[in-house]
Structure formats: C-alpha cells, structure tokens
Amino acid sequence: MTNPSPWRATVLTLFPEMFPGPLGVSLAGRGLASGLWELEARDIRASATDRHRSVDDTPAGGGPGMVLRADVLAAAIDAAEIGQDLSKRRPRLLMSPRGRPLTQARVVELAQAPGPLIVCGRFEGVDQRVIDQRGLEEVSIGDYVLSGGEIAAMALIDACVRLLPGVMGKEASGTEESFSEGLLEYPQYTRPQLFEGVPIPQILTSGDHAKVAAWRRAESEALTAARRPDLRTKAPNQTSGQKTPKSTTDG
Ligand code: ADE
C-alpha cells in the first residue's frame, strides 16, 4: 500500500548531487525506494538572480570567507514552499555548528512533525537577516566544524527516518528508548561463545531474564557515569513503564 503523503525532507543546498548519498542505501534507502518517506534536494543557486548566478559575498565589516546572501536564500526557501499546505507548517532548519545540539528528543519530534525544510550552510555562514526573517532553527550535530551542512543534514534525516512507521520493521530496537531515559546502551554479545579466549558474560547465557535485565541496567549506568555524566544527571529514577519519550536528553 502506498502512503498518500509520506514524511518528506526538502534540502536546500549548493550541492544537490550529494543527495541521497548514504540515505539511498540500507534501511533509509529501502524506505525511500518503497515510498515510506521522500527526499527533495533543491539547488540554492537556482534562485540566484545576477548573470554570474552568485550566491555568496564578502562579509559586511570585513573578515575571511564568504557569506550566503539573504536574498538568494530567502528566494530559495520561498520557492520550496510554494503550494505548501499552510495548516501543516514544516519545521525550517538550518544546519550550523552554532545551532542548538540535536538530541534524540528533538529527532522524535521532527519524525512526528511534517517533514522539515533543511538549509545547508556553506562558507563562513549565512546572512543573519534570512535566519531571522524566515525563522530558521539552527541545529548542530556536534561540537566540531564540517565543511558544510550537507553531512549534518543527512545525519538528522537518517535519525528521523529510522523512526518512521515501517522503516525499521522487525529490526526495531529499544535503543532510542534507552537514550531517552538518559542512559547509554549496554554492551552486546553474540556467537561465538568464545572469542580469542574471552567468553560471553555468563549471566547473559543463564536464561534468567530478571538477572539479565539487572546486569544490563547496571552496565548502562556504569558506562553513562564514565562517558556521559551529563546525561546521567538528567535521567529519571525508573527502569520501565514510561513509553512517552521524555526530554531528558534535550539540551
Ligand atoms: N555545519 C558545519 N558544521 C556543522 C555541525 N557541527 N553541525 C551542523 N551543521 C554544521
């Protein structure tokens, strides 16, 4: 059965040829091919108006690099939204290292909302006026600088798409539930029983489900305390029964 209005990501970029890229393979790629979600990559340069088709210019006040022009980007956003159902306002995102850090809680919201319009920044940045005038939400995927927003957009889209109904099928796991509880995943093991002389922890092959659950919880807590104490302090004091994702990992 085909989905009449699937979740659709519209990406505004100077490099539309980068898409679908990794989103065209594996789980996301299968979902894309079968119409569970849609991807539209639009060239910002198509909205340039001068004869050189320029999209950027030098920063006002001086400094290195080039800045994406407000008029060109605003025209690209407006063109992408022509014919859009106004009652279903799509989130408008700008991938940027100065954005608010992306969290699993925000990913869950974006997967449930109308599919986003995502602007990929390049150069030294984007004219602030278009960010303000079009209400762009700046989103970062981590405290490091990529050469542009495209790979960040792919990461965000992938994280959303795997939550869409039917995309993961029976491969669905409790990973994001554990993340939204503010804990990192416990270690996993599979065959062989002995690898380079190291056995699978005995408790995992004991068949005692309660002991397995307790061991996993303890491992998760120890890992989180060691690697991400910032997450742990926000975790609720309960182990299960809460299906609604909580904003415990939200920044
Ligand atoms: N563009 C460049 N670096 C980025 C980052 N860390 N997150 C989102 N977009 C970016």
Side-chain angles (χ1 to χ4, degrees):
M1 202 180 70
T2 54
N3 188 344
S5 59
W7 191 90
R8 177 189 185 89
T10 297
V11 181
L12 301 188
T13 169
L14 291 165
F15 301 99
E17 66 277 17
M18 286 175 77
F19 291 85
L23 297 170
V25 296
S26 188
L27 278 180
R30 261 182 279 151
L32 187 59
S34 63
L36 292 173
W37 68 286
E38 291 177 355
L39 178 65
E40 179 192 17
R42 298 176 66 100
D43 192 351
I44 294 170
R45 200 173 294 279
S47 296
T49 50
D50 66 1
R51 68 189 173 89
H52 301 293
R53 303 186 75 208
S54 53
V55 292
D56 58 329
D57 213 326
T58 52
M66 300 291 269
V67 177
L68 208 51
R69 288 170 57 135
D71 55 349
V72 175
L73 185 53
I77 293 170
D78 296 346
E81 292 185 345
I82 286 172
Q84 188 176 299
D85 181 349
L86 291 178
S87 68
K88 288 201 204 120
R89 167 107 158 58
R90 313 170 70 188
R92 289 186 191 138
L93 313 178
L94 169 64
M95 304 315 297
S96 158
R98 81 176 197 182
R100 201 170 266 142
L102 184 63
T103 62
Q104 186 65 24
R106 184 68 185 124
V107 165
V108 169
E109 285 173 3
L110 289 169
Q112 289 168 355
L117 180 110
I118 307 173
V119 177
C120 300
R122 279 268 153 185
F123 316 110
E124 292 308 305
V126 172
D127 189 303
Q128 184 63 38
R129 292 167 296 177
V130 71
I131 300 175
D132 297 339
Q133 292 295 115
R134 293 297 179 273
L136 302 182
E137 171 188 342
E138 293 181 74
V139 178
S140 165
I141 63 158
D143 291 338
Y144 41 82
V145 182
L146 302 168
S147 49
E150 286 77 9
I151 290 173
M154 289 176 197
L156 180 146
I157 293 169
D158 181 79
C160 291
V161 158
R162 60 187 287 284
L163 300 182
L164 299 175
V167 170
M168 291 231 292
K170 65 177 170 52
E171 288 162 75
S173 77
T175 308
E176 52 277 34
E177 223 171 276
S178 120
F179 221 108
S180 58
E181 261 185 52
L183 286 175
L184 301 180
E185 266 262 274
Y186 47 78
Q188 298 277 18
Y189 300 85
T190 187
R191 279 180 295 212
Q193 160 60 27
L194 205 59
F195 168 67
E196 296 185 349
V198 184
I200 293 174
Q202 195 270 324
I203 208 161
L204 296 178
T205 50
S206 67
D208 185 331
H209 298 305
K211 278 197 179 145
V212 168
W215 180 88
R216 286 178 166 167
R217 177 79 188 190
E219 290 287 319
S220 278
E221 287 181 0
L223 262 184
T224 309
R227 294 182 186 170
R228 296 292 306 276
D230 57 311
L231 286 182
R232 191 65 196 98
T233 54
K234 297 181 210 163
N237 278 331
Q238 33 103 98
T239 48
S240 64
Q242 190 114 22
K243 274 284 176 203
T244 315
K246 303 187 62 152
S247 300
T248 47
T249 56
D250 215 346

